[in-house]
Amino acid sequence: MRTKMLTIAAIATLSISLLAGCGNGAAKLPTDLSILQTDISTLTVSEDVQIVGLGEASHGTKEYQQMKAEVFKALVENNGSRTFIIEGDFGGALKADAYIHGAEGSAEDVVKEIGFKIYNTQEMADLVDWMRSYNKNAPAGKDLHFYGMDIQRYDNNKEKLFSILDLAAPELSGKYKTAFLQLTDEERLAISVDLLKKSKEDALELLKEMDTYEKDIVAIAGQTGFDFARESANTIYAYSDLLLSSNSDYNSLRDKYMSEKVSWFLRHGDGSVLFINGHNGHIGKKSVSSYTSLGEHLSNDIGDNYFAIGTDAENTEFHSQNSNGDFSVMEVENRNELNDQFDHMENKYYYMDFLKAADDENLNRILEGKQTITTLNVGISSWQKILKHFYTTTIVPRDTFDGMIVFKKVTPSTLLE
């Protein structure tokens, strides 16, 4: 019996040793630590890049919201970027754009218009206040813009549309105010199928009529006024179409419409680099879901001119939103070979450009292999956090992104009243 017990103990000791050898200690120190940038202000992209996407592994976190500001500031300084586009309401974000160009109000008010409670934070308010301050001293034509690429709201898109039509085409305005009267954010999820179908028909007819009278509208409201009014009408059409889609097609259609919005901004922009921001699942160049993501659409359209950056964290504390819209703080942990690198460094985060990492054998192995990263949307229940399946996804980093910003720990965003 004693011999048998010793044998069992020996096997257990060997097993522990083998497991330890396969764990964190297996990750070798990069041959060149400078590959892991720890000053995000030095981030730059190739001159060929037209769009830079920054994903976030979780909504409701302070560091991810702060990082979108820091990456944009770096692109403004190093690549001449002037356009910030968020995963938020097209029409609502136009109010933030007006604010950063001197409109009355406060940053705290305009971030509420972006369309999601997750953006009603001090971090987002700080970003739009910085953009407003920047624009006060920006040379003509070098001012910054704040836009939204999502299509899941009506009210602010109607407001923008009719503000132009009231001025330049009052007959059209009166006609379609009546047609779109029942399309409201408050009732958007209770609109009947028949009304949604009718609203699509009305929106298409309005787009045709606006095209017919484009010269007349432009003469009064200007080309930019016409373009944004027309795209607001197009957003009304797209959202009605989205609400008519099946649950299984909703995400696919939404990402398709968001990619079309980004392409619209690319066509109507000033030629500078566009910065877009949303969840990792939207930004990645290869979707981890069963549908084509926003980033995959962009990658298919413009190839390497789209540069995607993902994020991840070993420890995530975030504001989890329930079905009633209330928030509670949740915490999850996920260890992988990307955040293993913090065993060798004291920094809170690092940025890795995958092209620069190509010559490092160990990093190449990590980037070309499967890594399980955190993926949290707006909320998770207490029981779901028990199983990693509910808050992680497996990717091949090099196939999905062109770079990643990895954090040791992220914490909840600062919610505004």
Side-chain angles (χ1 to χ4, degrees):
M1 179 67 70
R2 179 176 175 81
T3 302
K4 184 175 181 180
M5 291 295 293
L6 287 172
T7 302
I8 293 172
I11 293 173
T13 301
L14 178 61
S15 298
I16 292 171
S17 298
L18 289 172
L19 286 171
C22 295
N24 299 335
K28 298 177 181 178
L29 197 65
T31 54
D32 183 2
L33 283 174
S34 67
I35 292 173
L36 306 182
Q37 294 177 231
T38 55
D39 180 2
I40 209 66
S41 68
T42 63
L43 185 149
T44 186
V45 295
S46 164
E47 293 181 356
D48 296 330
V49 170
Q50 295 175 287
I51 302 170
V52 175
L54 176 66
E56 48 191 32
S58 168
H59 297 310
T61 54
K62 176 187 293 187
E63 285 76 10
Y64 293 149
Q65 292 202 12
Q66 290 174 330
M67 186 54 67
K68 69 183 71 175
E70 294 307 311
V71 170
F72 181 57
K73 290 175 183 179
L75 292 173
V76 169
E77 180 68 25
N78 302 329
N79 286 95
S81 178
R82 291 187 284 276
T83 301
F84 181 102
I85 305 174
I86 199 167
E87 182 193 343
D89 177 42
F90 178 82
L94 292 179
K95 290 188 172 179
D97 189 60
Y99 173 76
I100 68 171
H101 284 90
E104 294 183 2
S106 69
E108 289 76 13
D109 287 336
V110 297
V111 296
K112 295 177 182 177
E113 302 291 343
I114 303 174
F116 298 104
K117 285 187 176 181
I118 56 169
Y119 296 137
N120 188 20
T121 66
Q122 187 61 53
E123 291 75 30
M124 288 303 302
D126 290 343
L127 169 60
V128 297
D129 265 337
W130 174 81
M131 294 176 74
R132 182 181 172 100
S133 296
Y134 184 97
N135 281 347
K136 285 181 179 179
N137 300 310
K142 302 295 184 180
D143 53 310
L144 306 179
H145 289 279
F146 188 108
Y147 295 137
M149 60 183 172
D150 210 348
I151 57 162
Q152 297 181 102
R153 296 292 187 274
Y154 284 121
D155 291 349
N156 280 319
N157 291 286
K158 289 166 57 178
E159 183 177 331
K160 178 62 178 180
L161 168 66
F162 294 126
S163 71
I164 299 298
L165 294 187
D166 283 348
L167 177 69
E171 290 185 5
L172 282 183
S173 187
K175 177 181 176 180
Y176 288 98
K177 278 182 181 178
T178 300
F180 298 152
L181 184 63
Q182 297 179 68
L183 303 181
T184 67
D185 290 353
E186 185 177 1
E187 299 295 330
R188 61 196 174 92
L189 301 181
I191 300 173
S192 70
V193 169
D194 288 342
L195 181 55
L196 288 171
K197 289 180 178 178
K198 181 65 165 58
S199 69
K200 281 181 58 180
E201 295 173 2
D202 289 335
L204 284 176
E205 184 61 29
L206 171 58
L207 290 168
K208 291 177 183 178
E209 292 195 69
M210 289 184 71
D211 289 343
T212 299
Y213 297 106
E214 177 176 356
K215 288 184 179 179
D216 296 333
I217 298 172
V218 168
I220 297 173
Q223 188 64 55
T224 298
F226 172 84
D227 291 340
F228 277 91
R230 190 186 190 283
E231 194 58 21
S232 296
N234 191 45
T235 303
I236 293 169
Y237 168 84
Y239 190 31
S240 292
D241 188 37
L242 186 64
L243 288 172
L244 284 168
S245 67
S246 65
N247 289 336
S248 59
D249 292 334
Y250 190 96
N251 289 329
S252 175
L253 188 58
R254 181 186 171 215
D255 273 51
K256 176 178 176 292
Y257 277 129
M258 285 200 293
S259 73
E260 291 176 359
K261 272 284 185 286
V262 175
S263 296
W264 184 88
F265 282 119
L266 196 61
R267 294 193 304 274
H268 291 82
D270 59 6
S272 64
V273 178
L274 302 185
F275 174 78
I276 66 174
N277 172 252
H279 194 274
N280 272 347
H282 298 303
I283 296 300
K285 302 174 83 167
K286 183 175 182 180
S287 178
V288 297
S289 303
S290 58
Y291 62 88
T292 305
S293 66
L294 157 69
E296 192 169 354
H297 279 295
L298 296 177
S299 184
N300 290 338
D301 290 344
I302 63 173
D304 290 339
N305 292 335
Y306 174 56
F307 190 93
I309 303 171
T311 57
D312 189 31
E314 179 179 345
N315 181 278
T316 302
E317 290 184 18
F318 73 111
H319 283 299
S320 178
Q321 189 175 16
N322 62 27
S323 58
N324 295 323
D326 298 326
F327 291 96
S328 59
V329 175
M330 293 283 188
E331 182 177 3
V332 297
E333 293 187 9
N334 181 54
R335 185 80 168 175
N336 56 38
E337 289 185 285
L338 292 164
N339 54 55
D340 274 350
Q341 302 309 310
F342 289 111
D343 291 346
H344 313 303
M345 57 197 305
E346 296 181 357
N347 302 81
K348 295 180 179 179
Y349 75 87
Y350 69 79
Y351 167 63
M352 187 197 309
D353 185 318
F354 292 172
L355 184 61
K356 294 179 181 178
D359 294 332
D360 187 279
E361 182 178 352
N362 182 57
L363 292 181
N364 233 4
R365 175 188 61 78
I366 292 172
L367 298 179
E368 292 180 353
K370 292 182 178 180
Q371 298 294 329
T372 299
I373 66 171
T374 308
T375 181
L376 290 158
N377 203 339
V378 295
I380 190 173
S381 66
S382 297
W383 69 268
Q384 286 176 323
K385 60 176 287 188
I386 299 173
L387 300 174
K388 283 195 172 185
H389 167 77
F390 288 107
Y391 63 88
T392 62
T393 190
T394 300
I395 66 168
V396 176
R398 195 181 291 283
D399 290 346
T400 311
F401 301 112
D402 297 293
M404 285 194 74
I405 301 173
V406 183
F407 290 83
K408 179 70 175 176
K409 180 176 182 177
V410 293
T411 57
S413 52
T414 309
L415 297 175
L416 297 172
E417 293 294 331

mmCIF file of all heavy atoms in Angstrom, residues 89-107:
data_model
loop_
_atom_site.group_PDB
_atom_site.id
_atom_site.type_symbol
_atom_site.label_atom_id
_atom_site.label_comp_id
_atom_site.label_asym_id
_atom_site.label_seq_id
_atom_site.Cartn_x
_atom_site.Cartn_y
_atom_site.Cartn_z
ATOM 1 N N ASP A 89 -25.374 55.886 -33.335
ATOM 2 C CA ASP A 89 -26.399 56.394 -34.236
ATOM 3 C C ASP A 89 -25.872 57.464 -35.184
ATOM 4 O O ASP A 89 -25.237 58.430 -34.758
ATOM 5 C CB ASP A 89 -27.558 56.951 -33.397
ATOM 6 C CG ASP A 89 -28.651 57.570 -34.245
ATOM 7 O OD1 ASP A 89 -28.993 56.977 -35.283
ATOM 8 O OD2 ASP A 89 -29.161 58.640 -33.865
ATOM 9 N N PHE A 90 -26.159 57.299 -36.461
ATOM 10 C CA PHE A 90 -25.730 58.261 -37.482
ATOM 11 C C PHE A 90 -26.248 59.660 -37.161
ATOM 12 O O PHE A 90 -25.480 60.621 -37.086
ATOM 13 C CB PHE A 90 -26.227 57.810 -38.863
ATOM 14 C CG PHE A 90 -25.891 58.758 -39.976
ATOM 15 C CD1 PHE A 90 -24.645 58.737 -40.573
ATOM 16 C CD2 PHE A 90 -26.831 59.679 -40.446
ATOM 17 C CE1 PHE A 90 -24.321 59.621 -41.611
ATOM 18 C CE2 PHE A 90 -26.527 60.560 -41.473
ATOM 19 C CZ PHE A 90 -25.273 60.532 -42.061
ATOM 20 N N GLY A 91 -27.554 59.780 -36.959
ATOM 21 C CA GLY A 91 -28.135 61.088 -36.689
ATOM 22 C C GLY A 91 -27.736 61.656 -35.350
ATOM 23 O O GLY A 91 -27.463 62.860 -35.225
ATOM 24 N N GLY A 92 -27.678 60.817 -34.324
ATOM 25 C CA GLY A 92 -27.319 61.287 -32.991
ATOM 26 C C GLY A 92 -25.893 61.789 -32.915
ATOM 27 O O GLY A 92 -25.595 62.800 -32.256
ATOM 28 N N ALA A 93 -24.967 61.105 -33.609
ATOM 29 C CA ALA A 93 -23.564 61.519 -33.586
ATOM 30 C C ALA A 93 -23.368 62.865 -34.269
ATOM 31 O O ALA A 93 -22.405 63.577 -33.967
ATOM 32 C CB ALA A 93 -22.690 60.451 -34.245
ATOM 33 N N LEU A 94 -24.290 63.234 -35.168
ATOM 34 C CA LEU A 94 -24.178 64.544 -35.809
ATOM 35 C C LEU A 94 -24.331 65.673 -34.793
ATOM 36 O O LEU A 94 -23.812 66.777 -34.993
ATOM 37 C CB LEU A 94 -25.222 64.680 -36.921
ATOM 38 C CG LEU A 94 -25.014 63.780 -38.141
ATOM 39 C CD1 LEU A 94 -26.128 63.985 -39.158
ATOM 40 C CD2 LEU A 94 -23.643 64.013 -38.781
ATOM 41 N N LYS A 95 -25.034 65.406 -33.691
ATOM 42 C CA LYS A 95 -25.144 66.413 -32.633
ATOM 43 C C LYS A 95 -23.807 66.564 -31.905
ATOM 44 O O LYS A 95 -23.433 67.669 -31.496
ATOM 45 C CB LYS A 95 -26.258 66.042 -31.661
ATOM 46 C CG LYS A 95 -27.645 66.171 -32.279
ATOM 47 C CD LYS A 95 -28.747 65.992 -31.262
ATOM 48 C CE LYS A 95 -30.099 66.308 -31.873
ATOM 49 N NZ LYS A 95 -31.217 66.136 -30.918
ATOM 50 N N ALA A 96 -23.097 65.452 -31.754
ATOM 51 C CA ALA A 96 -21.756 65.532 -31.170
ATOM 52 C C ALA A 96 -20.825 66.287 -32.114
ATOM 53 O O ALA A 96 -19.977 67.083 -31.677
ATOM 54 C CB ALA A 96 -21.219 64.136 -30.884
ATOM 55 N N ASP A 97 -20.984 66.070 -33.425
ATOM 56 C CA ASP A 97 -20.151 66.782 -34.397
ATOM 57 C C ASP A 97 -20.439 68.281 -34.362
ATOM 58 O O ASP A 97 -19.517 69.097 -34.452
ATOM 59 C CB ASP A 97 -20.411 66.227 -35.802
ATOM 60 C CG ASP A 97 -19.428 66.782 -36.814
ATOM 61 O OD1 ASP A 97 -18.212 66.576 -36.647
ATOM 62 O OD2 ASP A 97 -19.876 67.458 -37.769
ATOM 63 N N ALA A 98 -21.719 68.633 -34.219
ATOM 64 C CA ALA A 98 -22.062 70.053 -34.116
ATOM 65 C C ALA A 98 -21.450 70.661 -32.854
ATOM 66 O O ALA A 98 -20.940 71.790 -32.876
ATOM 67 C CB ALA A 98 -23.582 70.216 -34.101
ATOM 68 N N TYR A 99 -21.463 69.904 -31.766
ATOM 69 C CA TYR A 99 -20.910 70.401 -30.498
ATOM 70 C C TYR A 99 -19.414 70.659 -30.607
ATOM 71 O O TYR A 99 -18.922 71.702 -30.152
ATOM 72 C CB TYR A 99 -21.190 69.397 -29.377
ATOM 73 C CG TYR A 99 -20.497 69.754 -28.074
ATOM 74 C CD1 TYR A 99 -20.979 70.765 -27.259
ATOM 75 C CD2 TYR A 99 -19.338 69.079 -27.677
ATOM 76 C CE1 TYR A 99 -20.324 71.103 -26.071
ATOM 77 C CE2 TYR A 99 -18.684 69.401 -26.501
ATOM 78 C CZ TYR A 99 -19.180 70.420 -25.705
ATOM 79 O OH TYR A 99 -18.531 70.752 -24.532
ATOM 80 N N ILE A 100 -18.681 69.736 -31.237
ATOM 81 C CA ILE A 100 -17.229 69.943 -31.330
ATOM 82 C C ILE A 100 -16.889 71.059 -32.302
ATOM 83 O O ILE A 100 -15.742 71.519 -32.348
ATOM 84 C CB ILE A 100 -16.471 68.645 -31.692
ATOM 85 C CG1 ILE A 100 -16.781 68.197 -33.122
ATOM 86 C CG2 ILE A 100 -16.775 67.538 -30.687
ATOM 87 C CD1 ILE A 100 -15.913 67.050 -33.611
ATOM 88 N N HIS A 101 -17.895 71.521 -33.065
ATOM 89 C CA HIS A 101 -17.699 72.669 -33.947
ATOM 90 C C HIS A 101 -18.291 73.945 -33.352
ATOM 91 O O HIS A 101 -18.493 74.934 -34.065
ATOM 92 C CB HIS A 101 -18.291 72.384 -35.322
ATOM 93 C CG HIS A 101 -17.440 71.468 -36.150
ATOM 94 N ND1 HIS A 101 -17.581 70.090 -36.123
ATOM 95 C CD2 HIS A 101 -16.409 71.728 -36.991
ATOM 96 C CE1 HIS A 101 -16.685 69.553 -36.920
ATOM 97 N NE2 HIS A 101 -15.962 70.516 -37.464
ATOM 98 N N GLY A 102 -18.580 73.920 -32.041
ATOM 99 C CA GLY A 102 -18.958 75.148 -31.352
ATOM 100 C C GLY A 102 -20.412 75.305 -30.991
ATOM 101 O O GLY A 102 -20.800 76.343 -30.431
ATOM 102 N N ALA A 103 -21.254 74.311 -31.291
ATOM 103 C CA ALA A 103 -22.667 74.422 -30.943
ATOM 104 C C ALA A 103 -22.847 74.482 -29.428
ATOM 105 O O ALA A 103 -22.004 73.980 -28.666
ATOM 106 C CB ALA A 103 -23.453 73.239 -31.510
ATOM 107 N N GLU A 104 -23.926 75.087 -29.003
ATOM 108 C CA GLU A 104 -24.198 75.185 -27.574
ATOM 109 C C GLU A 104 -24.504 73.810 -26.979
ATOM 110 O O GLU A 104 -24.835 72.867 -27.676
ATOM 111 C CB GLU A 104 -25.379 76.131 -27.339
ATOM 112 C CG GLU A 104 -25.096 77.583 -27.709
ATOM 113 C CD GLU A 104 -26.266 78.489 -27.385
ATOM 114 O OE1 GLU A 104 -27.278 77.990 -26.847
ATOM 115 O OE2 GLU A 104 -26.167 79.697 -27.668
ATOM 116 N N GLY A 105 -24.415 73.740 -25.656
ATOM 117 C CA GLY A 105 -24.678 72.487 -24.960
ATOM 118 C C GLY A 105 -23.467 72.050 -24.178
ATOM 119 O O GLY A 105 -22.549 72.838 -23.908
ATOM 120 N N SER A 106 -23.472 70.784 -23.799
ATOM 121 C CA SER A 106 -22.352 70.229 -23.033
ATOM 122 C C SER A 106 -21.987 68.866 -23.583
ATOM 123 O O SER A 106 -22.799 68.195 -24.232
ATOM 124 C CB SER A 106 -22.733 70.096 -21.552
ATOM 125 O OG SER A 106 -23.724 69.083 -21.388
ATOM 126 N N ALA A 107 -20.763 68.466 -23.300
ATOM 127 C CA ALA A 107 -20.318 67.139 -23.730
ATOM 128 C C ALA A 107 -21.169 66.056 -23.092
ATOM 129 O O ALA A 107 -21.489 65.043 -23.723
ATOM 130 C CB ALA A 107 -18.848 66.953 -23.352
#
